[in-house]
């Protein structure tokens, strides 16, 4: 391990945790009965709890770890709405040549997720450094640039993305680098501080009557007539409905759902504070950045504009900072050679949940459990939205079903939820990226 990459004050934990009391978790007394038990205290579960409370229903949110331990506070804080869902959909046309109506509905709902997160932040007065700053998606090859251009009309027509193409000659308007072959500039995108957003959701859920119980994993879930019983180390709670909001941490409690999501690790580093002039020059317009590689990267400046937050698929599985941090640092230098010698102060990872059809899912299992999960690495807005939609469904208010509701949630034969194949897929994707760049 190259120790010169690591700052003397290096922490193997999320940068965002410096601003939140991650170890101080609510451990309210478990009631004997409630209307709804929510399993999982992340963005999905808390948005569901807020919606239930606003509708007059009581709920208990069970979190196996400290609240905020999972990917809800481990992500990069980029917020998109319908943009990533549009990947590869330039050919999504109906027989009459128009946009396929199912795809139109899906991208429309994904775009609605962006409106939802803005509404929640404003309504609940969550100070989470929210900025509607836009995004720049860098094209890894000229062919990728053409692919982005082919999706432009779809994204603008259905997601109201405010997107436009940026040729390579104008790329430095967006990033102080010549690494990409131009890209797409997207107006309808933003960024936030994920730790503060999650804490704000916790406070909002409690204001709306939710009981938050941390360090309390759900055990056996059984049903007797119209009543569910959820066993925990602190006793059993009875409820009318149960909501599973575990996403990339879905486990043996719900083996049927575990078989339908692929937990894929995403790794992030934060640099030490930069020279102010250098920091201002890297992303002139303050956007979030991502790219079109199969082994993608996503990055931004910290909320105070002093350091780089750089994430990506350093590995597709969980590895320690000794492996992930040097890999991400090298990726960062490929884009910004001017950062050579800059050290890392934080390195961490978290599980995203990918699905076999690359789409989010919301619905009810054959046993009657509600769920929302599988946002394929773009879950800050979408999981917030789907959590709230699940809450409305449970309330029975006749809300419009989303395009993701009740769709077939596929798995694969012999897959049990343990993705043994991820290292091979990672190697194959890296090879394909290398080949694409070589022939560009």
């Amino acid at each position: 391990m190259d120790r010169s990459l690591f700052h003397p004050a290096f922490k193997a934990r999320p940068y965002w945790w410096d601003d939140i009391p991650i170890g101080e978790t609510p451990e309210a007394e478990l009631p004997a009965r409630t209307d709804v038990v929510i399993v999982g205290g992340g963005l999905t579960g808390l948005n569901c709890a807020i919606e239930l409370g606003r509708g007059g229903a009581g709920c208990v949110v069970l979190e196996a770890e400290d609240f905020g331990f999972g990917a809800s506070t481990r992500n990069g804080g980029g917020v998109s709405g319908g943009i990533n869902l549009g990947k590869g959909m330039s050919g999504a046309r109906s027989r009459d040549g128009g946009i396929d109506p199912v795809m139109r509905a899906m991208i429309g709902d994904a775009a609605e997720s962006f409106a939802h997160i803005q509404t929640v932040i404003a309504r609940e007065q969550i100070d989470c450094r929210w900025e509607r700053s836009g995004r720049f998606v860098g094209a890894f090859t000229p062919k990728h640039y053409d692919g982005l251009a082919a999706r432009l009309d779809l994204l603008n027509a259905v997601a109201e993305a405010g997107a436009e193409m940026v040729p390579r000659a104008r790329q430095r308007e967006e990033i102080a680098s010549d690494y990409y072959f131009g890209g797409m500039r997207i107006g309808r995108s933003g960024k936030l501080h994920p730790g503060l957003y999650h804490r704000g959701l916790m406070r909002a859920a409690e204001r709306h009557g939710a009981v938050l119980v941390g360090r309390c994993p759900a055990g056996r879930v059984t049903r007797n007539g119209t009543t569910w019983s959820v066993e925990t180390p602190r006793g059993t709670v009875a409820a009318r409905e149960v909501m599973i909001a575990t996403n990339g941490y879905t486990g043996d409690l719900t083996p049927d759902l575990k078989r339908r999501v692929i937990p894929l690790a995403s790794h992030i580093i934060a640099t030490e504070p930069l020279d102010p002039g250098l920091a201002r020059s890297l992303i002139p317009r303050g956007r979030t950045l991502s790219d079109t590689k199969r082994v993608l990267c996503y990055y931004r400046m910290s909320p105070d504009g002093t350091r780089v937050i750089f994430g990506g698929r350093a590995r597709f599985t969980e590895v320690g900072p000794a492996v992930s941090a040097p890999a991400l640092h090298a990726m960062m230098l490929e884009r910004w050679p001017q950062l050579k010698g800059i050290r890392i102060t934080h390195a961490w990872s978290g599980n995203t949940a990918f699905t076999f059809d690359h789409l989010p899912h919301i619905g009810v299992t054959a046993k009657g459990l509600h769920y929302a999960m599988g946002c394929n690495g773009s879950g800050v807005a979408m999981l917030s939205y789907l959590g709230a939609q699940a809450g409305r469904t449970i309330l029975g208010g006749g809300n419009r079903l989303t395009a993701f509701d009740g769709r077939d949630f596929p798995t694969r034969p012999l897959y049990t939820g343990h993705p043994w194949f991820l290292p091979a897929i990672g190697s194959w994707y890296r090879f394909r990226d290398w080949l694409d760049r070589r022939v560009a």
Side-chain angles (χ1 to χ4, degrees):
M1 181 174 72
D2 184 357
R3 296 191 179 276
S4 66
L5 293 179
F6 294 88
H7 192 276
F10 171 77
K11 302 174 184 178
R13 54 179 259 162
Y15 168 72
W16 315 116
W17 289 8
D18 288 358
D19 295 325
I20 60 174
I22 192 65
E24 300 173 14
T25 196
E27 296 184 53
E29 183 177 348
L30 189 73
R33 179 174 293 275
T34 188
D35 293 319
V36 183
V37 169
I38 300 171
V39 181
L43 303 186
T44 315
L46 292 175
N47 272 274
C48 183
I50 291 169
E51 204 61 33
L52 289 169
R54 293 179 71 231
C59 72
V60 171
V61 183
L62 300 177
E63 170 55 52
E65 305 285 349
D66 289 324
F67 273 86
F69 176 83
S72 293
T73 65
R74 294 173 180 266
N75 62 81
V79 182
S80 62
I83 305 307
N84 292 333
L85 191 68
K87 287 181 178 179
M89 294 179 180
S90 59
R93 302 287 172 179
S94 61
R95 292 181 180 179
D96 62 3
I99 300 171
D100 178 80
V102 174
M103 194 55 60
R104 176 186 286 274
M106 286 184 176
I107 296 178
D109 274 318
E112 180 62 25
S113 72
F114 188 82
H116 168 78
I117 200 169
Q118 290 188 113
T119 297
V120 169
I121 290 170
R123 187 189 68 222
E124 305 298 339
Q125 300 181 16
I126 300 175
D127 181 5
C128 58
R129 312 296 191 266
W130 166 251
E131 295 181 56
R132 185 166 171 161
S133 53
R135 176 182 296 245
F136 177 73
V137 182
F140 186 55
T141 69
K143 185 176 180 180
H144 289 190
Y145 182 90
D146 293 340
L148 288 171
R151 290 173 30 228
L152 186 72
D153 290 344
L154 175 66
L155 293 175
N156 283 335
V158 181
E160 299 179 352
E164 58 183 312
M165 297 307 297
V166 179
R168 196 178 197 188
R170 294 175 50 204
Q171 180 170 286
R172 283 185 169 260
E173 296 174 9
E174 302 294 340
I175 178 173
S177 172
D178 297 318
Y179 182 77
Y180 298 114
F181 289 83
M184 180 188 287
R185 180 163 52 218
I186 301 161
R188 199 170 192 265
S189 186
K191 59 186 177 184
L192 49 69
H193 185 307
L196 294 178
Y197 175 54
H198 182 266
R199 284 282 147 172
L201 291 175
M202 288 174 60
R203 289 191 288 269
E206 289 179 315
R207 281 197 307 272
H208 290 293
V211 177
L212 307 187
V213 189
R215 301 173 187 150
C216 186
R220 190 172 61 161
V221 178
T222 57
R223 191 172 192 174
N224 183 11
T226 60
T227 301
W228 289 95
S229 292
V230 182
E231 297 178 7
T232 81
R234 300 186 193 176
T236 299
V237 55
R240 175 172 53 86
E241 303 285 358
V242 175
M243 167 69 180
I244 305 299
T246 47
N247 201 45
Y249 300 84
T250 300
D252 293 336
L253 176 68
T254 53
D256 192 49
L257 290 174
K258 182 180 178 182
R259 293 187 59 236
R260 285 163 168 77
V261 293
I262 305 165
L264 191 150
S266 194
H267 305 272
I268 308 180
I269 57 172
T271 70
E272 63 186 326
L274 308 177
D275 172 82
L278 175 60
R280 286 192 299 271
S281 73
L282 295 176
I283 310 175
R285 298 186 177 181
R287 306 192 197 281
T288 54
L289 303 178
S290 59
D291 56 38
T292 60
K293 291 182 68 176
R294 292 173 180 83
V295 184
L296 65 84
C297 293
Y298 52 92
Y299 43 114
R300 55 172 288 189
M301 299 305 294
S302 59
D304 62 5
T306 63
R307 63 182 84 206
V308 174
I309 309 294
F310 193 96
R313 309 286 187 255
R315 292 291 187 275
F316 281 28
T317 54
E318 285 284 345
V319 293
V323 174
S324 63
L328 290 173
H329 193 273
M331 295 175 188
M332 182 177 71
L333 293 188
E334 287 179 333
R335 290 149 181 82
W336 285 314
Q338 60 268 47
L339 295 183
K340 185 176 181 180
I342 297 299
R343 296 169 298 180
I344 299 167
T345 60
H346 300 73
W348 69 97
S349 64
N351 282 352
T352 60
F354 277 66
T355 59
F356 288 100
D357 59 2
H358 311 292
L359 292 171
H361 287 269
I362 177 173
V364 183
T365 69
K367 294 182 178 180
L369 299 169
H370 295 265
Y371 66 86
M373 60 184 61
C375 288
N376 303 282
S378 300
V380 176
M382 181 57 77
L383 288 176
S384 296
Y385 175 65
L386 293 183
Q389 288 295 113
R392 292 168 192 156
T393 298
I394 292 169
L395 288 169
N399 62 300
R400 178 186 66 84
L401 295 178
T402 75
F404 307 106
D405 259 290
R407 299 182 63 83
D408 179 54
F409 197 171
T411 183
R412 293 291 183 271
L414 305 181
Y415 178 64
T416 62
H418 300 285
W420 51 268
F421 45 80
L422 285 180
I425 290 177
S427 297
W428 173 243
Y429 280 4
R430 280 186 282 273
F431 170 73
R432 291 289 303 279
D433 283 337
W434 173 84
L435 188 62
D436 282 352
R437 190 76 165 196
R438 184 175 177 85
V439 302

